Amino acid sequence: MNLTYRIAIKLFKMFYGIGSKPQIIGTRKLPKDQSFIVVSNHISNYDPPFLTTLLNRKINFMAKDNLFKNKFGSFILKKLGAFPIKRGCFDRGAIKYALELLKNNQILGIFPEGTRSTDGQLQEPQLGATLLALKSKSPIIPIGIKGTNSPFKENIIANIGEMFTLDEFYDKKLSKEEMKEAGSLIMTKIKELL
C-alpha cells in the first residue's frame, strides 16, 4: 500500500465513523498473498471508499472512465488503486489490466451491476465480473452493504461472505445462458448477505 492509500484509509474510517460506527459482520482472516475478486452491491458513490476500509490490503477498483477526465482527480484515483473502464463496450485494455492485477496476487474490486441502484434493489449483473472470474479462475468474496447512500442518517452495515469460485464453469465454452447463470450465482451470493 502506498502512503496516499494508507492516509486515505484513515480518513475514510474517520468519515464513516462520524454518523455512527459501521457494523461489520463476518470479519475473517483474508488471504495475505492470494489474489481474489471482491464483489458487492452498489447503492452509492460512497461504496468504494467504504469497502477499502474493510480489508487490510489494497483493493483495485474498476471505475467508469469519465471519472478520470480531470487530471488531478485521475491522479488521486489511480493512487487509490482505481483504473478506468469504458462503459457500454468491451474494454479489452481494462480487462487485460484487471487480469494482470489478479495474476500478480492483487485484489480486484467490481460492482457486478455495473452502475448504482437508485432504489437499493439488486439489478441484473453485467458480464464483467463473471468474465474476469472465469478467465483468471480467481476466488470471489461477496459483500452485501447497506446504509452508504445516507451515511449520516442510518447505520452502515457490511456483511462479508464466504469465499467461493465459479469452478463448475471453468474450462468450458459457455453459451450466453451459461454466462448469465454464472453471473446470477454471483448476485445470489451478494443477495444472501443483504
Side-chain angles (χ1 to χ4, degrees), residues 61-69 82-98 114-115 126-128 131-132:
F61 278 102
M62 280 188 162
K64 57 186 178 181
D65 60 343
N66 64 356
L67 293 175
F68 295 80
K69 288 181 178 177
F83 62 98
I85 184 167
K86 295 173 187 171
R87 293 167 71 176
C89 68
F90 185 76
D91 188 339
R92 290 183 188 278
I95 296 294
K96 184 178 178 182
Y97 184 78
T115 188
Q126 303 298 311
L127 292 181
L131 178 70
L132 288 166

Side-chain angles (χ1 to χ4, degrees), residues 30-35 57 104-106:
L30 297 167
K32 292 181 180 178
D33 300 312
Q34 180 183 349
S35 63
R57 291 173 61 196
N104 291 305
N105 294 324
Q106 299 295 308

